[in-house]
Amino acid sequence: MIGSIFHLARNLRAGFVLAREGALALVDPSALPPAARLALKLARLIERPQAGDGAARLSKALTRLGPSYVKFGQFLATRPDIVGVAAARDLERLQDRMPPFPRAEAVRMVEIALGRPIDELFLEFSEPIAAASIAQVHKARIRTPEGEEIVAVKVVRPGVREGFARDLQAMRAAARLFERVVPDAKRLKPLEVVEALARSVAVEMDLRLEAAAVSELAENTKNDPDFRVPKPEWDLTARDVLTTTWIDGIRLNDLASIEAAGFDRVALGRTVIQSFLRHAIRDGYFHADMHPGNLFVDPEGRLVAVDFGIMGRLGMKERRFLAEILLGFIRRDYLRVAQVHFEAGYVPPHHSVEDFAQAIRAIGEPIHDRRADEISMAKLLTLLFEITALFDMQTRIELVMLQKTMVVVEGVARNLDPKLDMWTTSEPVVRDWIERNLGPLGRAEQAGRGLWTLAGVIGDLPELALRAERVLNQLEDVTARGVALNQDSVAAIGRAEARGNRWGVAALWIIAASLMIMLFRGFA
């Protein structure tokens, strides 16, 4: 009861801030029942006159509400299927920047996490240089067998887990209320959205998992000459602390510094696109937060990524799907693009492949009448997902994350090279992967993996036969003797049945008494 009151108070505060900043202007009243429309109209009376326009209002409100709501806004930016494409695009601009907490507090967190005094761990440990909702970064210096080295130390905010836990509980309560009040809300699955956010934040707040993400991406890209990631220092990493090599480089949005250093902006734009596609299609594991603040060019001209709290993963099925639809659009083979959707099971078989191909043609043909630098691959995927929704394709979270990341990556690349030809840049990566995995060599490897799996099953056949025999013997015993119940179980069932009967009898008495009162009043 007390918890419900606290959740109500938190949600009332959140509602007040959203209304005050004008964020409720984004709500479509026609989708609400009459009572909710009246509540929305009354709430908008307290809206500030200069609240701004569009989702800038929502971004301002979420920032005022604190770290949990900022993270929630960023999460919704990856779900245009819920908030709409326009709102998701505006929410992408929501900056996860928070005031830093004091260095002394960070030192205390590091010493607790690593179990040693700060002076034994680092030769130097700076004031915070960047701060976000979950953690902040310090620059430090350590001694290694090769000599001294500069590192970046990421430290989780004190009390952030408790704060997120409280806010997530309030969000769950709000989601349940939303489902009850708004008839069509269950289609949007608000409670599932909050649970997905909870899982995402739980992963992001364990910096050991981020270190593992850095390590996996480094292993995948070790032979890529134009891309690298920092190296985690495992001895100086724990749940609340992540230490990696320091990156000296120029941010990709600092065009003046890039040109002054003599780097080729056109080549860098090509590297951004091809690196992302290699990670997504070749490796099935990609950095899902590739905004300019997380991308640098190092002194050797290589692309360097940092901040691996949000990663995306694609299975072989999704990678094949992505590669084939991109190649299909490049070659204008719309029937093949449609067939790939059906083969993957994304579009139900009761639809017509030919009708679906015709709908896809409506997306593909207009782009081929434009100059290469006017074609947006990210916009094409957005339109494709809108069309597939008409053919009952269910939302695929991994593909939505891929599409949203591609929007950001394409923006970064075009900022470097406004005349970037996305198709010419992407085609070699996509074609190479298809030839490698779907050509003769790839088919042979798949057959080999299939034979290896079959050999494993054959090797397990004797054990499977013994298990099957034991199950059959147990079924015969049950058939012959019946199911035996433990005496304690029987007694417990009896007690439960008695309790149920007592409540049933009580309910009948209440109903009877109510009827008598109604009859008495009627005669009176």
Side-chain angles (χ1 to χ4, degrees), residues 6 14 67 160 173 214 217 290 297 369 472 492 503:
F6 277 118
V160 69
V214 178
L217 195 60
M290 293 182 71
V297 54
D369 293 333
L472 288 173
W503 283 111

Side-chain angles (χ1 to χ4, degrees), residues 1 3-8 11 72 165-195 198:
M1 182 65 181
S4 299
I5 293 173
F6 277 118
H7 299 333
L8 177 62
N11 286 325
F72 187 49
R166 288 192 299 268
D167 287 338
L168 285 169
Q169 284 294 84
M171 290 178 190
R172 290 185 180 100
R176 284 190 287 267
L177 179 63
F178 185 57
E179 285 186 350
R180 286 199 298 268
V181 172
V182 182
D184 294 334
K186 289 187 177 180
R187 178 181 60 84
L188 300 176
K189 302 177 181 177
L191 195 55
E192 287 186 24
V193 172
V194 175
E195 294 302 335

Side-chain angles (χ1 to χ4, degrees), residues 364-376 379 423:
E365 282 304 295
I367 68 174
H368 286 284
D369 293 333
R370 299 183 180 181
R371 297 196 317 269
D373 59 296
E374 294 178 336
I375 300 173
S376 168
K379 184 177 180 181
W423 300 104

Side-chain angles (χ1 to χ4, degrees), residues 19 119 158 201 243 253 257 286 296 301 312 349 353 356 407 413 469 490 501:
D119 293 338
V201 168
T243 305
N253 57 357
S257 297
F286 61 93
F296 297 81
V353 177
F356 189 43
V407 169
E469 184 181 8
V490 172
N501 289 337

Side-chain angles (χ1 to χ4, degrees), residues 137-353:
V137 178
H138 298 257
K139 189 174 184 179
R141 195 159 50 89
I142 61 174
R143 184 176 287 110
T144 68
E146 293 79 25
E148 293 183 2
E149 183 181 348
I150 299 175
V151 293
V153 184
K154 190 173 184 177
V155 185
V156 169
R157 283 183 175 274
V160 69
R161 288 185 179 83
E162 295 78 6
F164 266 93
R166 288 192 299 268
D167 287 338
L168 285 169
Q169 284 294 84
M171 290 178 190
R172 290 185 180 100
R176 284 190 287 267
L177 179 63
F178 185 57
E179 285 186 350
R180 286 199 298 268
V181 172
V182 182
D184 294 334
K186 289 187 177 180
R187 178 181 60 84
L188 300 176
K189 302 177 181 177
L191 195 55
E192 287 186 24
V193 172
V194 175
E195 294 302 335
L197 170 67
R199 290 190 296 271
S200 172
V201 168
V203 170
E204 201 170 343
M205 284 193 290
D206 191 334
L207 299 186
R208 295 169 298 189
L209 300 181
E210 184 172 343
V214 178
S215 177
E216 182 174 351
L217 195 60
E219 185 175 332
N220 291 343
T221 60
K222 61 186 177 184
N223 295 323
D224 294 356
D226 51 5
F227 181 88
R228 74 180 181 96
V229 295
K231 179 174 72 71
E233 297 287 342
W234 288 103
D235 292 340
L236 296 172
T237 294
R239 186 186 71 160
D240 293 340
V241 178
L242 168 63
T243 305
T244 61
T245 50
W246 181 263
I247 297 300
D248 274 321
I250 304 171
R251 291 186 188 273
L252 286 199
N253 57 357
D254 189 352
L255 301 183
S257 297
I258 289 174
E259 290 182 344
F263 294 120
D264 185 345
R265 284 172 49 180
V266 173
L268 272 176
R270 186 168 57 248
T271 298
V272 170
I273 295 298
Q274 292 186 344
S275 293
F276 168 69
L277 288 175
R278 276 197 297 266
H279 304 163
I281 297 176
R282 181 193 66 189
D283 307 324
Y285 191 61
F286 61 93
H287 193 308
D289 195 18
M290 293 182 71
H291 61 76
N294 287 340
L295 296 173
F296 297 81
V297 54
D298 71 8
E300 287 76 37
R302 293 173 296 180
L303 181 67
V304 188
V306 299
D307 194 357
F308 304 87
I310 305 175
M311 303 295 292
R313 197 179 290 277
L314 300 175
M316 181 59 73
K317 176 181 173 182
E318 290 78 22
R319 289 148 67 185
R320 173 177 176 173
F321 170 79
L322 175 65
E324 290 219 56
I325 62 172
L326 289 179
L327 195 64
F329 274 110
I330 291 170
R331 295 177 175 176
R332 303 172 79 171
D333 188 351
Y334 306 120
L335 181 61
R336 181 57 193 153
V337 174
Q339 289 169 342
V340 169
H341 282 77
F342 281 81
E343 290 170 4
Y346 292 162
V347 176
H350 65 266
H351 287 289
S352 163
V353 177

